[in-house]
Amino acid sequence: MFSIDVREEGRGTVLVLRGDLDHDSVVQLDEAGRRETAPDRAAGTVVADLAGLTFCDSSGVSALLRLYRRLEAGHRRLVLAAVPRTVQRLFALTGLDQIFTVHADVHEALAAGRATPTGAGAPARQNGKETT
């Protein structure tokens, strides 16, 4: 079972993902993305908290990438927090570790705010350090 909880934080929005992000559940992430990219939404960073993610297939990765692109088009940022090792490995294998900015936890992601560069080619970060 998959769920997304959305909470507003002082410096942005946190999407808490739990369960299996796969072909059957990406519609929920896409819907949350549509809400976040609506014209009436305030600016700010969107943090996807992946600590509760138990599985992520290529459909899930594609949904995260769609959300990233939508937010970038609206001059907003998507950063990831607490990415499970299996998903980190998937990002490394696909080159997405060069696109997504990754933080150890939500607190660190929100604290980084707008200080981290955006856009394709921005270095991925884990625990505040660039990764390769």
Side-chain angles (χ1 to χ4, degrees):
M1 181 175 209
F2 180 78
S3 67
I4 299 178
D5 293 322
V6 180
R7 69 177 193 255
E8 299 299 321
E9 296 286 340
R11 297 179 203 153
T13 303
V14 178
L15 305 176
V16 181
L17 284 63
R18 291 187 186 95
D20 295 350
L21 182 57
D22 58 19
H23 183 279
D24 294 328
S25 60
V26 293
V27 68
Q28 292 177 56
L29 182 56
D30 287 338
E31 180 58 33
R34 278 190 285 283
R35 286 191 301 270
E36 283 305 310
T37 56
D40 64 339
R41 293 294 295 160
T45 300
V46 175
V47 178
D49 179 359
L50 306 185
L53 204 62
T54 55
F55 176 80
C56 184
D57 69 5
S58 61
S59 299
V61 171
S62 294
L64 287 168
L65 192 54
R66 279 192 302 276
L67 178 57
Y68 172 87
R69 288 180 177 154
R70 279 181 161 158
L71 288 166
E72 287 286 312
H75 306 288
R76 293 182 68 196
R77 299 183 59 235
L78 173 67
V79 297
L80 308 180
V83 178
R85 286 197 186 278
T86 55
V87 178
Q88 287 177 20
R89 179 166 161 70
L90 184 58
F91 288 171
L93 291 171
T94 59
L96 291 173
D97 60 343
Q98 299 301 305
I99 293 175
F100 290 120
T101 300
V102 176
H103 293 278
D105 57 37
V106 171
H107 177 73
E108 181 182 290
L110 289 170
R114 297 180 187 178
T116 306
T118 62
R125 299 185 182 279
Q126 178 68 41
N127 298 323
K129 299 176 187 160
E130 287 187 23
T131 59
T132 56

